[in-house]
Amino acid sequence: MAATRRIVIENCSIATVDADDTEYAGGYVVIAGDRIEAVGAGRAPEGLEDVVRRIDGTGHLVTPGLVNTHHHFYQWITRGMATDHNLFNWLVTLYPVWARIDERMTYAAAQGSLAMMARGGVTTAMDHHYVFPKGSGDLSGSIIRAARETGVRFTLARGSMDRSEKDGGLPPDFAVETLEGALAATEATVAEHHDASFGAMTQVAVAPCSPFSVSTELMRDGAELARRLGVRLHTHGSETVEEEKFCHELFGMGPTDYFESTGWLGEDVWMAHCVHMNDSDIAAFARTRTGVAHCPSSNARLAAGIARVPDMLAAGVPVGLGVDGTASNESGELHTELRNALLVNRLGPHKEAALSARQALRLGTYGGAQVLGRAAELGSLEPGKLADLVLWRMDTLAHASMADPVTALVFGAAAPVTASFVGGRQIVENGRLLHVDEDAIARSTRTEARRLAEIAGQG
């Protein structure tokens, strides 16, 4: 049997984000193969065998890798458009552009989205892709290929839309699938790409887009399909007041009641946004353990409102963080969402008590792992869990004068990533990606953005 290769990280501050929020002002992490073998205070144990690398973490904070719970990668090539619109007007403006994407565009956009997240500490990403124009190629496969090349752990939420303008929805008629076609393609994607094993690099979820772009039949049948296949369910929910009005007019009930009526509440479900939730809605999510992907920057960009994250957490709702698509969060980074989640929620009724630095870090790590159904594998630094972790440099001008490294990470400027590991494999070194060419990606995304603009008549 081959010896287990070990990496030892020493002399660093550590925030484990375990159940007790254990932290070490000076400690070590031992990686054995793809798992965390040991975490503790002081120096690593003597006599460790097969140590292939020792990392001096002086001046660094080690945390679990960040977990992104909501994104739309294809939007990387439509950044900076419709910058003064609310959600519905933004969608009406951009759907005709998005409906022109093809496999080459989608691959380049996925590369750009993944690269930006990975170089900023994301080790587990997800993409909610729901635009599948006829004849556009293997879009799901191209996204998964980009994730594999970047080296991040990945969940593809295979989306779908079947309610177009002629049915009272927002997408143009040529931008949607049929009910039967969407279900069949989703099942095929699960069969081809989903890995249910511990440590899986690729998983697939069933993800009809939203109540205003999906028929009730697709919602119900999608939930049944996901549970038959044993995969998770994802969609958008309660994002805007316009959506609330839409649901009452079309279904005679609010979004949460509608979701419950179609089988879309449960511990295998997570919703993006959930901005406009009343006490009853939050109680329903808590009772069913339905998760939430909180996207503070996107919610602000589209003037959607402030999600009641402190109330959700107090009720026991699993909450993680999401970048959302980069047409509504042009930075494309998750580590900045730690700060934005804290600041935006302090504008709400709980004021300075809304979120602490450590609660924000938990949202971006363990909370995200919960939402994706992977809390037994990811999200905290504990022996036996996967070695997905980040070394943040905290001794530069941007952070060195702050004594508490967790406070510095969340409240301060975006911290440089010295090293990032996924399953014990390093994917970032000194802020640069190790397995893909960032400069080449920048060029290809610019080329594909221009090509899309020309095809869609925007250039």
Side-chain angles (χ1 to χ4, degrees), residues 71-92:
H71 210 309
H72 307 295
F73 290 175
Y74 71 90
Q75 292 180 14
W76 187 266
I77 56 175
T78 59
R79 293 192 295 166
M81 301 174 68
T83 55
D84 301 311
H85 292 51
N86 67 21
L87 175 67
F88 274 30
N89 292 334
W90 176 83
L91 288 171
V92 169

Side-chain angles (χ1 to χ4, degrees), residues 233-248:
L233 301 84
H234 180 59
T235 191
H236 296 88
S238 301
E239 186 173 358
T240 66
V241 291
E242 291 85 4
E243 179 187 337
E244 178 91 16
K245 181 180 177 183
F246 180 93
C247 287
H248 276 286

Side-chain angles (χ1 to χ4, degrees), residues 280-293:
S280 176
D281 297 329
I282 292 175
F285 272 53
R287 169 175 50 82
T288 58
R289 299 292 293 166
T290 302
V292 172

Side-chain angles (χ1 to χ4, degrees), residues 354-369:
L355 288 177
S356 69
R358 283 161 177 79
Q359 285 176 306
L361 178 59
R362 180 170 288 273
L363 289 177
T365 54
Y366 187 80

Side-chain angles (χ1 to χ4, degrees), residues 39 81 206 305 381:
V39 184
M81 301 174 68
V206 175
L381 302 180

